[in-house]
Amino acid sequence: MSSMCGILSAWVLNNNIIYSALDSLLVILRRHSCFSNIPKDSRTILQTKSIDNTCMRVIDSGKYYHFGLGSGIENNFQHDVTEIKLVIGIDGLTISKSTSSQFWSILAYKRPYDNLVCPVGIFHGNKKPSSCNEFLKDFVLEAKHLTSNGNIINNKSYEITVDVIYCDSPAKSFVLQVKGHIGYFSCTRCKIEGEFIENGTCLPLIY
């Protein structure tokens, strides 16, 4: 029966089948004597782990879950590396145009493996967190520890550095607590006041 569970699991993952559809299929299969012992819950088929509530905390009207930077490094570890350089991405995403519900995520990957992205933390709420410090607190504490002490993987210590933190303009404004990209003083590298030209804020030419 374990082989059948593996086949169903691969089918779900390869075809983006939703859990409720798999649950309905399992009900049908269990009516047949050949599949009477098959699990009746999609979470058992997919070996879904329960959420560790100790890693979740409330921020404003939303919730933040910290997957962990160190665990992400270990799960995507490549044996041919001698040092670990991290690329961190922070971004916000509105779920749909008809709702204010949104995600704010912290993602990471190790250079040069940009195809192995791991979630570090994710926030969900009806608006972005009012405090970037609260949103970033778990990540910052863990990143400081890892960059100061390294990480031991397979009994070997690896030096860890945060090579770059990537944000789009709204995320950069949120993280740095500066004016947004359409503000008159939105440049983080100069003190030039912008001008409103042709329905947009622009910085005047500097000679």
Side-chain angles (χ1 to χ4, degrees):
M1 193 57 66
S2 60
S3 61
M4 185 61 182
C5 291
I7 293 172
L8 286 172
S9 177
W11 171 70
V12 168
L13 297 175
N14 292 334
N15 296 280
N16 296 321
I17 305 300
I18 60 176
Y19 283 21
S20 59
L22 177 57
D23 286 333
S24 299
L25 176 61
L26 293 176
V27 171
I28 297 172
L29 291 176
R30 284 171 58 85
R31 293 173 182 169
H32 195 283
S33 58
C34 294
F35 302 107
S36 59
N37 293 326
I38 200 169
K40 60 182 178 181
D41 195 309
S42 59
R43 291 171 294 183
T44 305
I45 296 290
L46 298 171
Q47 299 181 2
T48 304
K49 296 180 180 179
S50 58
I51 294 177
D52 182 2
N53 288 327
T54 61
C55 297
M56 183 176 291
R57 57 189 176 89
V58 175
I59 302 179
D60 299 331
S61 59
K63 292 183 178 180
Y64 173 85
Y65 186 84
H66 191 67
F67 295 92
L69 182 59
S71 59
I73 293 173
E74 293 180 24
N75 292 337
N76 292 330
F77 180 70
Q78 302 294 320
H79 293 278
D80 58 344
V81 299
T82 56
E83 60 179 341
I84 297 175
K85 294 184 177 182
L86 298 176
V87 176
I88 307 297
I90 300 173
D91 198 8
L93 173 67
T94 302
I95 295 178
S96 70
K97 294 182 179 179
S98 61
T99 177
S100 60
S101 181
Q102 56 189 272
F103 286 112
W104 279 82
S105 62
I106 306 172
L107 307 175
Y109 72 83
K110 302 186 297 294
R111 289 193 187 277
Y113 305 102
D114 57 359
N115 61 320
L116 299 175
V117 179
C118 64
V120 177
I122 189 166
F123 168 86
H124 174 259
N126 289 323
K127 60 181 181 179
K128 70 179 180 182
S130 60
S131 171
C132 65
N133 291 328
E134 279 297 310
F135 170 65
L136 295 170
K137 181 171 69 174
D138 294 329
F139 161 70
V140 170
L141 289 174
E142 189 177 10
K144 287 176 66 176
H145 173 76
L146 290 173
T147 53
S148 298
N149 303 289
N151 198 18
I152 297 177
I153 304 175
N154 298 330
N155 297 319
K156 183 178 180 180
S157 179
Y158 290 86
E159 181 180 347
I160 296 176
T161 58
V162 176
D163 200 31
V164 64
I165 297 178
Y166 172 79
C167 305
D168 62 6
S169 294
K172 177 183 176 182
S173 172
F174 170 57
V175 170
L176 297 180
Q177 291 294 281
V178 296
K179 291 285 186 180
H181 62 288
I182 60 174
Y184 285 108
F185 291 94
S186 59
C187 181
T188 56
R189 300 189 179 187
C190 71
K191 297 182 179 180
I192 302 298
E193 181 179 3
E195 296 180 3
F196 192 76
I197 303 174
E198 296 183 1
N199 298 320
T201 304
C202 305
L203 293 174
L205 295 176
I206 302 175
Y207 295 97

